[in-house]
Amino acid sequence: MELGTFGAIIKFALDIETKIGNFYQTASGIAKDAELVSIFADLIVRGQKRMKTLERVRRENVTEMILEPIIGFESDSYRIDFEIVNDDNLRSMATNIETTLQKFYTTAAIKIDFLIEAAYAFELLAEKNEETIKRFSS
Amino acid sequence: MISELEVTIVTVEVVKNYINGKWVESKSKETRDVFNPATGEVIAKTPMSTREETLEAIKVANAAFDRWRSTPALTRVRHLNRIRDAFEENFEDLVKTLTLEQGKAIDESRGEYRRTIENLECATSVPSLQMGYNAEDIAAGIDEMVIKQPLGVFFCVAPFNFPAMVPTWFWPFAIGVGNTYIVKPSEQVPLSQVKQFEIIHEIGLPRGVLNMVHGGPEAVNTLIESPDTVGMSFVGSSRVGKLLYKKTGEFGKRSQVQGGAKNFLTIMPDADLEKTVPALVTSFYGCSGQRCLAGGVLLAVGDIYEPLKKMIVEASKKYTVGSGLEEGMQMGPLASKKGMEIVLGFIEKGVKEGAELLLDGRGVEVPGHPNGYFIGPTIFDNVTRDMTIAREEIFGPVIPIIQVKDLDEAIDIIHANPYGNASSVFTSSGKTARDYQYRVKAGNIGINIGVVAPIATFPFSGMKDSFLGDLHGQGRDAVDFFTENKVVITRWF
């Protein structure tokens, strides 16, 4: 699906953050590794904050003169597999999720660079994903 | 996708007036249906309030004036701050109501409410903006000063295309400086104002400061004729605007009248088309072309004509049309069946007068919405300056393209049109841009901007038949419109 408007990008981000929140909720109940459980707990809280951030960005950054179409941004490039096969692959799944999100927000920030505040918010979200990736790999 | 049924709307069949801090049922038996333009369903009814009901609103607004004007300015604007915060808290609910009754895409409704809130934010600067000025010793021992005083009861007559935002070009500034106010919403789309007033009611503005009367000509004539009102702000058609401007003059009232438009967008041969085309499609198709800042005619200068035409057709084909409540949808329906029929009439005329239809938006199908008032992106080529679609305001998603040889010819066409609301040039040349803003007779000029929408701190300008009056809505102009400069000359013996 083409993410052809600012609203479509935010909608996609909200949807994917909701799914990721559900994933971490489920994963935290399955994981045996205490460190992983702790990280997932942090990410559940982070997810709620991110939803609020995205809603605020949507509320505050749309004005009529900047509803110009966005070209060349497809949601298909950011598909995530949420199916948990067993608890052994939770870390790698979570890393994949964070990597995909990091790429999504980085690209989104470039695509909406005409909305400085929104672009900045997306850059910060991408940075947080990067930090989480490091947490998973340490 | 959000179902229309999921949207919380005021469920009363006939919307109520808001007078003296209370919701009041109109006694009028005459009502007008309010439609969901995406489905054609009736969702509410607007009462055509009587002369007596309108006079009651004027009476309570007048009675509230003295106490309100003597309320300290900072206290007055605290109310505006509270309203602003409440609008922010109820943002998505307000936005959905707007799309439900007006049809525009949900993102466009969000954009409209952002502007609404920005007007409230700007009006909280009134304690500074309302300050007068003074000079000592204009003669020996004599000082002189100007005090900007409120005047009394003002009112607005609002349009159907921006039913949430346009009243806030006016009333936050009017009550901010100490006047009292009456909003007369468009009878076609009253629900956004009802929703706003429900929130305002909860905030608890002093009674009578801000009132709302629904209705038609009887309510408007009463507001103008009453000796207890001092001024009118109108946004709507130039035809009605001219009549009301004349009438307010006869009754000695202040008025500012924002009328129709035919906005010419000039594309120079050195324009950056990759960046220009997205701005152009938004200008012509945004709000389904139903805004006074919408593109009206595309003037393609010289060699840019062929590549521009090709790119704009391609971009238009990708423009999505559907229910405004569907996230990511770019264009909703026209706001009314009548409006849709008028636009279809213009398209017919374009064909009959010999323009070539490059893209035909008639008969566009939107699944699940067989009765919606939809017209898809429409493009005419080989348009000449004398054709109806090149001269008159279409108020729909139609792009007439005229090829011109140079900037002088473009400006000649622009100046031959009676309107002067907005005009834009797309160019990489600073000299051309400067020339354009200097010469073109339009109130809002865009340089590489498709929708020249002034923010709340600037006046929403307009010239020629697009604006009658001298002080505009928004910003400092609004403060000046809603105050009188009282001069005081002082000598102490």
Side-chain angles (χ1 to χ4, degrees), chain B residues 206-478:
Chain B
R207 289 182 192 283
V209 170
L210 188 59
N211 308 275
M212 173 171 61
V213 175
H214 298 285
E218 189 174 2
V220 175
N221 285 331
T222 305
L223 287 163
I224 294 173
E225 290 163 9
S226 165
D228 290 328
T229 61
V230 288
M232 176 193 78
S233 303
F234 169 88
V235 179
S237 72
S238 290
R239 185 187 65 80
V240 175
K242 277 182 182 174
L243 292 171
L244 297 188
Y245 188 68
K246 188 177 171 195
K247 184 158 186 166
T248 49
E250 283 168 4
F251 282 83
K253 307 289 165 76
R254 293 183 173 204
S255 64
Q256 45 185 190
V257 166
Q258 198 88 39
K262 188 72 174 173
N263 305 315
F264 292 82
L265 275 60
T266 306
I267 320 302
M268 299 301 291
D270 61 356
D272 179 342
L273 281 186
E274 290 292 332
K275 290 177 179 166
T276 297
V277 170
L280 295 180
V281 292
T282 310
S283 178
F284 281 93
Y285 303 146
C287 297
S288 306
Q290 301 165 112
R291 55 181 168 206
C292 60
L293 293 173
V297 172
L298 205 54
L299 298 171
V301 179
D303 295 343
I304 201 91
Y305 172 68
E306 286 298 339
L308 171 67
K309 196 167 68 171
K310 193 178 166 202
M311 285 178 73
I312 204 140
V313 169
E314 286 309 309
S316 300
K317 282 178 182 169
K318 289 181 189 163
Y319 220 73
T320 53
V321 183
S323 166
L325 287 172
E326 196 172 331
E327 288 287 350
M329 195 55 67
Q330 289 170 304
M331 189 161 77
L334 276 292
S336 70
K337 192 175 182 186
K338 188 181 164 196
M340 178 181 72
E341 286 165 356
I342 290 170
V343 176
L344 291 173
F346 273 111
I347 297 173
E348 282 289 319
K349 262 190 190 162
V351 172
K352 272 187 192 159
E353 291 176 9
E356 183 190 348
L357 204 46
L358 290 182
L359 193 62
D360 188 352
R362 293 174 294 183
V364 65
E365 285 185 13
V366 175
H369 295 80
N371 301 318
Y373 313 139
F374 295 97
I375 297 178
T378 299
I379 301 175
F380 277 108
D381 191 18
N382 294 326
V383 177
T384 55
R385 57 192 293 174
D386 55 319
M387 287 181 185
T388 308
I389 56 170
R391 291 183 289 107
E392 295 184 17
E393 184 175 39
I394 297 173
F395 233 50
V398 180
I399 306 182
I401 305 176
I402 300 179
Q403 186 179 20
V404 294
K405 65 176 187 302
D406 55 23
L407 184 62
D408 285 341
E409 188 183 355
I411 292 176
D412 187 46
I413 291 172
I414 295 167
H415 287 173
N417 194 273
Y419 295 114
N421 205 39
S423 187
S424 292
V425 65
F426 288 79
T427 179
S428 303
S429 159
K431 185 179 184 306
T432 303
R434 202 259 177 193
D435 210 19
Y436 203 85
Q437 76 178 49
Y438 189 84
R439 291 169 62 190
V440 171
K441 289 175 192 156
N444 304 289
I445 295 289
I447 310 294
N448 297 316
I449 296 286
V451 184
V452 196
I455 64 163
T457 45
F458 286 85
F460 193 106
S461 193
M463 293 167 82
K464 296 163 73 181
D465 277 3
S466 295
F467 182 77
L468 301 170
D470 49 5
L471 292 166
H472 301 274
Q474 300 192 147
R476 289 180 196 163
D477 265 33

Side-chain angles (χ1 to χ4, degrees), chain A residues 4-8 11 58-65 67-69, chain B residues 88 91 107-108 110-111 114 162 278-279 282 291 327-328 330 451 453:
Chain A
T5 62
F6 176 58
K11 169 78 168 42
R58 175 165 71 183
R59 229 178 31 245
E60 293 181 357
N61 288 281
V62 179
T63 63
E64 55 185 328
M65 75 162 61
L67 287 169
E68 292 169 8
Chain B
E88 202 78 79
F91 193 84
D107 268 355
E108 291 172 331
R110 290 190 180 108
R114 192 76 257 140
F162 285 86
T282 310
R291 55 181 168 206
E327 288 287 350
Q330 289 170 304
V451 184

Side-chain angles (χ1 to χ4, degrees), chain B residues 112-275:
Chain B
E112 181 171 345
Y113 261 103
R114 192 76 257 140
R115 294 281 175 149
T116 303
I117 288 169
E118 285 172 359
N119 275 301
L120 284 157
E121 288 167 337
C122 180
T124 60
S125 306
V126 153
S128 298
L129 294 174
Q130 198 180 354
M131 286 197 285
Y133 49 93
N134 67 313
E136 287 184 327
D137 294 317
I138 55 148
I142 298 178
D143 304 331
E144 184 163 345
M145 66 175 163
V146 161
I147 308 169
K148 297 180 89 65
Q149 289 194 332
L151 290 154
V153 182
F154 281 86
F155 62 94
C156 74
V157 180
F160 73 84
N161 58 344
F162 285 86
M165 175 189 72
V166 165
T168 60
W169 286 355
F170 314 116
W171 70 255
F173 298 94
I175 71 169
V177 299
N179 299 292
T180 54
Y181 208 82
I182 300 167
V183 175
K184 207 295 284 176
S186 161
E187 58 270 38
Q188 187 181 319
V189 282
L191 296 179
S192 290
Q193 283 305 308
V194 170
K195 204 85 180 162
Q196 288 186 15
F197 270 78
E198 284 182 334
I199 291 167
I200 290 163
H201 180 68
E202 292 300 315
I203 298 299
L205 262 179
R207 289 182 192 283
V209 170
L210 188 59
N211 308 275
M212 173 171 61
V213 175
H214 298 285
E218 189 174 2
V220 175
N221 285 331
T222 305
L223 287 163
I224 294 173
E225 290 163 9
S226 165
D228 290 328
T229 61
V230 288
M232 176 193 78
S233 303
F234 169 88
V235 179
S237 72
S238 290
R239 185 187 65 80
V240 175
K242 277 182 182 174
L243 292 171
L244 297 188
Y245 188 68
K246 188 177 171 195
K247 184 158 186 166
T248 49
E250 283 168 4
F251 282 83
K253 307 289 165 76
R254 293 183 173 204
S255 64
Q256 45 185 190
V257 166
Q258 198 88 39
K262 188 72 174 173
N263 305 315
F264 292 82
L265 275 60
T266 306
I267 320 302
M268 299 301 291
D270 61 356
D272 179 342
L273 281 186
E274 290 292 332
K275 290 177 179 166

